[in-house]
Amino acid sequence: MAERPLQASRQRRGKAMTAAAGSAGHAAVPLLLCALLVPGGAYVLDDSDGLGREFDGVGAVSGGGATSRLLVNYPEPYRSQILDYLFKPNFGASLHILKVEIGGDGQTTDGTEPSHMHYALDENYFRGYEWWLMKEAKKRNPNIILMGLPWSFPGWLGKGFNWPYVNLQLTAYYIMTWIVGAKHYHDLDIDYIGIWNERSFDINYIKVLRRMLNYQGLDRVKIIASDNLWEPISASMLLDSELLKVIDVIGAHYPGTHTVKDAKLTKKKLWSSEDFSTLNSDVGAGCLGRILNQNYVNGYMTATIAWNLVASYYEQLPYGRCGLMTAQEPWSGHYVVESPIWVSAHTTQFTQPGWYYLKTVGHLEKGGSYVALTDGLGNLTIIVETMSHKQSACIRPFLPYFNVSHQFATFVLKGSFSEIPELQVWYTKLGKPSERYLFKQLDSLWLLDSSSTFTLELQEDEIFTLTTLTVGSKGSYPLPPKSEPFPPIYEDDFDVDYPFFSEAPNFADQTGVFEYFTNIEDPGEHRFTLRQVLNQRPITWAADAYNTISIIGDYKWSNLTVRCDVYIETPEKGGVFIAGRVNKGGILIRSARGVFFWIFANGTYRVTGDLAGWVIYALGHVDVTAKKWYTLTLIIKGRLSSGMLNGKTVWKNIPVSFPKNGWAAIGTHSFEFAQFDNFHVEATR
């Protein structure tokens, strides 16, 4: 019986050598040799002396903020296909962990995500889309690990201060209700909860949160802290035994594959709880491939979580296309499965949380790294990467120069792995299109006559996965529709009686929260509207504008007509606007330029060149008051702009030389209630 495998092994080895000989100058065919005497480093993979740390998984962040905003509006089947590429086991990225933002009503990078409690007596566990996303992830992978983390908080928690730790019990209660609501309304078990993304932690708050979770029977929910740097949380834990006890995982952001001594001394699990955040080109894929290995090799980090899950926000917002894949066109259905998806698959499809790293992992002699993991049941997965400096620089932190060169690497399997007969082989080559392969399955390696030794010929910018598992696959669907710009004529009357999502399609809230609203005071034409629902500034994470604003459309729009019915709810002090050519959003929203047409409840109007209202083009009086509907029209053509109120011209041919293009938008003068209806835009680039 042993003859067949041995013969097959000899045949495969002969094929590999022939192919390699015949492909001189062709990097496309990697060389895989069994037990040949070649120069190069030798690397022993052995479990005889025990195992390394437990592997906790590879994941991604939805949020921080509003990064999945456009995904929910994709038509089927494309939306489900995108979700499959992200979460379906043995298909695409096959993620082990999904981390979501606990919406806090504030601007948190690319938009705002709504809180489940805008006010103290307000609870709604159906706002936003993170609940839906977690359910879709669970539907595909019931074992996926779920994490929640706040970036901003609703203003009422601060009691007049821009600080979430004014009342520790109240903030802990707020977070606890989100966890309980996830279970009660969506049957979602949250596994990990964080403190405050990349901001100060409060030692007493962490202890109060732990006690409150335990009191509610949520002992199984683990605490991760502090989602910032390794210090000062690590030193604080070493100095405070109670704090050390209540924190389960130390999570650091963008650690550059390294940790610090204090973090290791805590003997806690160490995670890179936010990483990557790099354009999803092949360089971004190289960044991810390098850190997925080296976060453990250099820093003993047992989980790596990429920001962000899917680039499903307008590309001209900050950090455009910094997701594992791109899905920013719900109007066309177009999406792109980018190379980071397949780099992730090299690890995620052949490991699971609960596996263990071997102690024998490390760097390759001529650059690159290798890790090996086992399930303790005989399975082994080896991941080798040779990412060059040029091909793997992440957006942060600074990457010191290093060199990677052509090499042969011989791996020797010892201990319980010495009897492994065969390894499946998966291969990625990044860089030149003529040499590029993404997650390609190669011939498997037979090891029975090779003294459990094999040699890889390694070039720059390659990833190999060698594994006993046969479950891997490169999932695919028919090509999605072609890319199309945002429709030049677009309208929405918001007439949705029972909306599935709280936000209207394609509107991307940048400050404030705009939700579908049923206006029981007006059973007529304006029964269903879009309403800005915050009347208090949130506890901010970024420099939110003092106005609220939601953008929509094509950033390349230049000549456009925006029309919308508006309703000011705040007497005397209230104000609303419509706008065009809005040129900034996300964390830069405060400095947004454009053409803004405002009306105020005190009977005045204003035309400004910026959201903050510093650049004033025109102002005057109009017949406007609160609690009445008005139709605003803004016309921008070339260097001139005009505005109308209820069809009558208010101002005309005002010169606007900057900016040349941008989104359309609606919004309010401050954090105040206001309603919008019958939005209509016609645009040309």
mmCIF file of all heavy atoms in Angstrom, residues 314 316 331 484-488 552-558 560 581-582 661-664 683-685:
data_model
loop_
_atom_site.group_PDB
_atom_site.id
_atom_site.type_symbol
_atom_site.label_atom_id
_atom_site.label_comp_id
_atom_site.label_asym_id
_atom_site.label_seq_id
_atom_site.Cartn_x
_atom_site.Cartn_y
_atom_site.Cartn_z
ATOM 1 N N TYR A 314 -18.148 56.455 0.897
ATOM 2 C CA TYR A 314 -17.683 57.238 -0.244
ATOM 3 C C TYR A 314 -16.158 57.326 -0.232
ATOM 4 O O TYR A 314 -15.546 57.675 0.777
ATOM 5 C CB TYR A 314 -18.313 58.633 -0.227
ATOM 6 C CG TYR A 314 -19.802 58.625 -0.496
ATOM 7 C CD1 TYR A 314 -20.717 59.046 0.473
ATOM 8 C CD2 TYR A 314 -20.305 58.200 -1.722
ATOM 9 C CE1 TYR A 314 -22.086 59.044 0.225
ATOM 10 C CE2 TYR A 314 -21.667 58.192 -1.986
ATOM 11 C CZ TYR A 314 -22.559 58.613 -1.003
ATOM 12 O OH TYR A 314 -23.909 58.607 -1.266
ATOM 13 N N GLN A 316 -13.917 59.299 -1.304
ATOM 14 C CA GLN A 316 -13.191 60.539 -1.027
ATOM 15 C C GLN A 316 -13.249 60.945 0.443
ATOM 16 O O GLN A 316 -12.658 61.955 0.837
ATOM 17 C CB GLN A 316 -13.720 61.673 -1.907
ATOM 18 C CG GLN A 316 -13.483 61.477 -3.392
ATOM 19 C CD GLN A 316 -14.520 60.559 -4.052
ATOM 20 O OE1 GLN A 316 -15.486 60.126 -3.410
ATOM 21 N NE2 GLN A 316 -14.321 60.257 -5.308
ATOM 22 N N TRP A 331 -25.763 51.584 -5.846
ATOM 23 C CA TRP A 331 -26.634 51.950 -6.977
ATOM 24 C C TRP A 331 -26.344 51.110 -8.217
ATOM 25 O O TRP A 331 -27.224 50.902 -9.036
ATOM 26 C CB TRP A 331 -26.477 53.438 -7.296
ATOM 27 C CG TRP A 331 -25.053 53.885 -7.389
ATOM 28 C CD1 TRP A 331 -24.252 53.855 -8.482
ATOM 29 C CD2 TRP A 331 -24.263 54.400 -6.320
ATOM 30 N NE1 TRP A 331 -23.000 54.327 -8.170
ATOM 31 C CE2 TRP A 331 -22.969 54.675 -6.846
ATOM 32 C CE3 TRP A 331 -24.513 54.671 -4.963
ATOM 33 C CZ2 TRP A 331 -21.938 55.208 -6.070
ATOM 34 C CZ3 TRP A 331 -23.484 55.191 -4.196
ATOM 35 C CH2 TRP A 331 -22.224 55.457 -4.742
ATOM 36 N N GLU A 484 -20.487 52.047 -12.037
ATOM 37 C CA GLU A 484 -21.257 53.164 -12.594
ATOM 38 C C GLU A 484 -21.206 54.328 -11.612
ATOM 39 O O GLU A 484 -21.231 54.127 -10.403
ATOM 40 C CB GLU A 484 -22.729 52.771 -12.812
ATOM 41 C CG GLU A 484 -22.947 51.640 -13.801
ATOM 42 C CD GLU A 484 -22.843 52.098 -15.242
ATOM 43 O OE1 GLU A 484 -22.782 53.329 -15.465
ATOM 44 O OE2 GLU A 484 -22.805 51.217 -16.135
ATOM 45 N N PRO A 485 -21.154 55.554 -12.103
ATOM 46 C CA PRO A 485 -21.206 56.693 -11.181
ATOM 47 C C PRO A 485 -22.572 56.802 -10.518
ATOM 48 O O PRO A 485 -23.559 56.204 -10.995
ATOM 49 C CB PRO A 485 -20.928 57.901 -12.086
ATOM 50 C CG PRO A 485 -21.303 57.451 -13.453
ATOM 51 C CD PRO A 485 -21.023 55.974 -13.509
ATOM 52 N N PHE A 486 -22.642 57.542 -9.442
ATOM 53 C CA PHE A 486 -23.906 57.793 -8.756
ATOM 54 C C PHE A 486 -24.900 58.378 -9.763
ATOM 55 O O PHE A 486 -24.527 59.220 -10.583
ATOM 56 C CB PHE A 486 -23.677 58.776 -7.607
ATOM 57 C CG PHE A 486 -24.811 58.853 -6.621
ATOM 58 C CD1 PHE A 486 -24.779 58.111 -5.457
ATOM 59 C CD2 PHE A 486 -25.915 59.668 -6.857
ATOM 60 C CE1 PHE A 486 -25.823 58.179 -4.539
ATOM 61 C CE2 PHE A 486 -26.956 59.745 -5.951
ATOM 62 C CZ PHE A 486 -26.912 58.992 -4.780
ATOM 63 N N PRO A 487 -26.175 57.961 -9.746
ATOM 64 C CA PRO A 487 -27.142 58.461 -10.732
ATOM 65 C C PRO A 487 -27.187 59.991 -10.746
ATOM 66 O O PRO A 487 -27.300 60.616 -9.688
ATOM 67 C CB PRO A 487 -28.475 57.880 -10.251
ATOM 68 C CG PRO A 487 -28.111 56.699 -9.430
ATOM 69 C CD PRO A 487 -26.786 57.015 -8.798
ATOM 70 N N PRO A 488 -27.110 60.600 -11.923
ATOM 71 C CA PRO A 488 -27.103 62.077 -11.992
ATOM 72 C C PRO A 488 -28.445 62.696 -11.616
ATOM 73 O O PRO A 488 -28.506 63.868 -11.252
ATOM 74 C CB PRO A 488 -26.741 62.361 -13.440
ATOM 75 C CG PRO A 488 -27.111 61.124 -14.187
ATOM 76 C CD PRO A 488 -26.917 59.981 -13.243
ATOM 77 N N ILE A 552 -24.416 63.159 0.272
ATOM 78 C CA ILE A 552 -24.930 62.154 -0.662
ATOM 79 C C ILE A 552 -24.435 62.477 -2.065
ATOM 80 O O ILE A 552 -24.203 63.645 -2.391
ATOM 81 C CB ILE A 552 -26.481 62.102 -0.632
ATOM 82 C CG1 ILE A 552 -26.997 60.897 -1.440
ATOM 83 C CG2 ILE A 552 -27.100 63.416 -1.110
ATOM 84 C CD1 ILE A 552 -28.483 60.616 -1.249
ATOM 85 N N GLY A 553 -24.243 61.424 -2.869
ATOM 86 C CA GLY A 553 -23.997 61.635 -4.290
ATOM 87 C C GLY A 553 -22.594 61.334 -4.754
ATOM 88 O O GLY A 553 -21.893 60.493 -4.201
ATOM 89 N N ASP A 554 -22.182 62.056 -5.793
ATOM 90 C CA ASP A 554 -20.914 61.845 -6.478
ATOM 91 C C ASP A 554 -19.985 63.019 -6.174
ATOM 92 O O ASP A 554 -20.322 64.171 -6.450
ATOM 93 C CB ASP A 554 -21.176 61.748 -7.984
ATOM 94 C CG ASP A 554 -19.960 61.280 -8.763
ATOM 95 O OD1 ASP A 554 -18.829 61.569 -8.338
ATOM 96 O OD2 ASP A 554 -20.140 60.636 -9.815
ATOM 97 N N TYR A 555 -18.825 62.717 -5.648
ATOM 98 C CA TYR A 555 -17.866 63.771 -5.291
ATOM 99 C C TYR A 555 -17.437 64.582 -6.509
ATOM 100 O O TYR A 555 -17.001 65.726 -6.379
ATOM 101 C CB TYR A 555 -16.645 63.131 -4.627
ATOM 102 C CG TYR A 555 -15.688 64.118 -4.018
ATOM 103 C CD1 TYR A 555 -15.956 64.709 -2.784
ATOM 104 C CD2 TYR A 555 -14.498 64.462 -4.671
ATOM 105 C CE1 TYR A 555 -15.079 65.615 -2.216
ATOM 106 C CE2 TYR A 555 -13.609 65.373 -4.104
ATOM 107 C CZ TYR A 555 -13.906 65.945 -2.881
ATOM 108 O OH TYR A 555 -13.039 66.840 -2.319
ATOM 109 N N LYS A 556 -17.569 64.006 -7.699
ATOM 110 C CA LYS A 556 -17.147 64.708 -8.921
ATOM 111 C C LYS A 556 -18.221 65.651 -9.455
ATOM 112 O O LYS A 556 -17.984 66.349 -10.446
ATOM 113 C CB LYS A 556 -16.773 63.683 -9.993
ATOM 114 C CG LYS A 556 -15.563 62.846 -9.615
ATOM 115 C CD LYS A 556 -15.251 61.802 -10.665
ATOM 116 C CE LYS A 556 -14.059 60.946 -10.249
ATOM 117 N NZ LYS A 556 -13.791 59.859 -11.226
ATOM 118 N N TRP A 557 -19.384 65.663 -8.818
ATOM 119 C CA TRP A 557 -20.428 66.579 -9.275
ATOM 120 C C TRP A 557 -19.939 68.024 -9.229
ATOM 121 O O TRP A 557 -19.365 68.467 -8.230
ATOM 122 C CB TRP A 557 -21.665 66.452 -8.389
ATOM 123 C CG TRP A 557 -22.537 65.284 -8.726
ATOM 124 C CD1 TRP A 557 -22.479 64.481 -9.824
ATOM 125 C CD2 TRP A 557 -23.618 64.789 -7.931
ATOM 126 N NE1 TRP A 557 -23.448 63.513 -9.767
ATOM 127 C CE2 TRP A 557 -24.167 63.680 -8.623
ATOM 128 C CE3 TRP A 557 -24.176 65.168 -6.717
ATOM 129 C CZ2 TRP A 557 -25.252 62.965 -8.130
ATOM 130 C CZ3 TRP A 557 -25.250 64.452 -6.225
ATOM 131 C CH2 TRP A 557 -25.790 63.362 -6.925
ATOM 132 N N SER A 558 -20.255 68.759 -10.301
ATOM 133 C CA SER A 558 -19.872 70.170 -10.358
ATOM 134 C C SER A 558 -21.097 71.050 -10.535
ATOM 135 O O SER A 558 -21.417 71.881 -9.692
ATOM 136 C CB SER A 558 -18.883 70.394 -11.505
ATOM 137 O OG SER A 558 -18.521 71.747 -11.581
ATOM 138 N N LEU A 560 -24.973 71.376 -10.444
ATOM 139 C CA LEU A 560 -26.070 70.595 -9.879
ATOM 140 C C LEU A 560 -27.178 71.496 -9.357
ATOM 141 O O LEU A 560 -26.967 72.666 -9.021
ATOM 142 C CB LEU A 560 -25.581 69.664 -8.769
ATOM 143 C CG LEU A 560 -25.097 70.221 -7.425
ATOM 144 C CD1 LEU A 560 -25.094 69.103 -6.389
ATOM 145 C CD2 LEU A 560 -23.716 70.823 -7.523
ATOM 146 N N ARG A 581 -21.473 70.776 -3.849
ATOM 147 C CA ARG A 581 -20.007 70.842 -3.944
ATOM 148 C C ARG A 581 -19.326 70.765 -2.563
ATOM 149 O O ARG A 581 -18.302 71.410 -2.327
ATOM 150 C CB ARG A 581 -19.553 72.109 -4.654
ATOM 151 C CG ARG A 581 -19.936 72.168 -6.125
ATOM 152 C CD ARG A 581 -19.254 73.364 -6.811
ATOM 153 N NE ARG A 581 -19.681 73.513 -8.188
ATOM 154 C CZ ARG A 581 -19.343 74.540 -8.974
ATOM 155 N NH1 ARG A 581 -18.580 75.502 -8.492
ATOM 156 N NH2 ARG A 581 -19.760 74.605 -10.223
ATOM 157 N N VAL A 582 -19.890 69.977 -1.668
ATOM 158 C CA VAL A 582 -19.279 69.802 -0.340
ATOM 159 C C VAL A 582 -18.013 68.962 -0.514
ATOM 160 O O VAL A 582 -18.073 67.833 -0.996
ATOM 161 C CB VAL A 582 -20.260 69.134 0.637
ATOM 162 C CG1 VAL A 582 -19.599 68.909 1.986
ATOM 163 C CG2 VAL A 582 -21.523 69.964 0.773
ATOM 164 N N ASN A 661 -16.035 71.004 -7.212
ATOM 165 C CA ASN A 661 -16.902 69.819 -7.210
ATOM 166 C C ASN A 661 -17.093 69.322 -5.781
ATOM 167 O O ASN A 661 -16.393 69.760 -4.861
ATOM 168 C CB ASN A 661 -16.296 68.713 -8.073
ATOM 169 C CG ASN A 661 -14.874 68.372 -7.671
ATOM 170 O OD1 ASN A 661 -13.929 69.008 -8.142
ATOM 171 N ND2 ASN A 661 -14.713 67.402 -6.787
ATOM 172 N N GLY A 662 -18.024 68.403 -5.613
ATOM 173 C CA GLY A 662 -18.267 67.822 -4.283
ATOM 174 C C GLY A 662 -19.657 67.223 -4.185
ATOM 175 O O GLY A 662 -20.424 67.195 -5.153
ATOM 176 N N TRP A 663 -19.985 66.719 -2.986
ATOM 177 C CA TRP A 663 -21.264 66.058 -2.750
ATOM 178 C C TRP A 663 -22.399 67.067 -2.581
ATOM 179 O O TRP A 663 -22.166 68.254 -2.318
ATOM 180 C CB TRP A 663 -21.199 65.232 -1.466
ATOM 181 C CG TRP A 663 -20.225 64.110 -1.475
ATOM 182 C CD1 TRP A 663 -20.306 62.948 -2.183
ATOM 183 C CD2 TRP A 663 -19.013 64.014 -0.690
ATOM 184 N NE1 TRP A 663 -19.223 62.140 -1.896
ATOM 185 C CE2 TRP A 663 -18.423 62.772 -0.986
ATOM 186 C CE3 TRP A 663 -18.383 64.861 0.223
ATOM 187 C CZ2 TRP A 663 -17.224 62.341 -0.403
ATOM 188 C CZ3 TRP A 663 -17.187 64.446 0.809
ATOM 189 C CH2 TRP A 663 -16.616 63.207 0.494
ATOM 190 N N ALA A 664 -23.627 66.590 -2.654
ATOM 191 C CA ALA A 664 -24.795 67.332 -2.173
ATOM 192 C C ALA A 664 -24.953 67.025 -0.686
ATOM 193 O O ALA A 664 -24.395 66.044 -0.176
ATOM 194 C CB ALA A 664 -26.042 66.934 -2.941
ATOM 195 N N ALA A 683 -27.623 66.488 -11.497
ATOM 196 C CA ALA A 683 -26.226 66.902 -11.504
ATOM 197 C C ALA A 683 -25.522 66.517 -12.795
ATOM 198 O O ALA A 683 -25.900 65.570 -13.490
ATOM 199 C CB ALA A 683 -25.501 66.263 -10.326
ATOM 200 N N THR A 684 -24.484 67.284 -13.095
ATOM 201 C CA THR A 684 -23.524 66.933 -14.141
ATOM 202 C C THR A 684 -22.147 67.153 -13.546
ATOM 203 O O THR A 684 -21.965 67.971 -12.652
ATOM 204 C CB THR A 684 -23.683 67.807 -15.388
ATOM 205 O OG1 THR A 684 -23.574 69.179 -15.013
ATOM 206 C CG2 THR A 684 -25.026 67.558 -16.058
ATOM 207 N N ARG A 685 -21.182 66.419 -14.063
ATOM 208 C CA ARG A 685 -19.831 66.520 -13.499
ATOM 209 C C ARG A 685 -19.154 67.798 -13.955
ATOM 210 O O ARG A 685 -19.452 68.345 -14.991
ATOM 211 C CB ARG A 685 -19.002 65.314 -13.911
ATOM 212 C CG ARG A 685 -19.532 64.023 -13.297
ATOM 213 C CD ARG A 685 -18.583 62.899 -13.566
ATOM 214 N NE ARG A 685 -19.027 61.692 -12.882
ATOM 215 C CZ ARG A 685 -18.270 60.612 -12.726
ATOM 216 N NH1 ARG A 685 -17.045 60.600 -13.179
ATOM 217 N NH2 ARG A 685 -18.717 59.548 -12.115
#
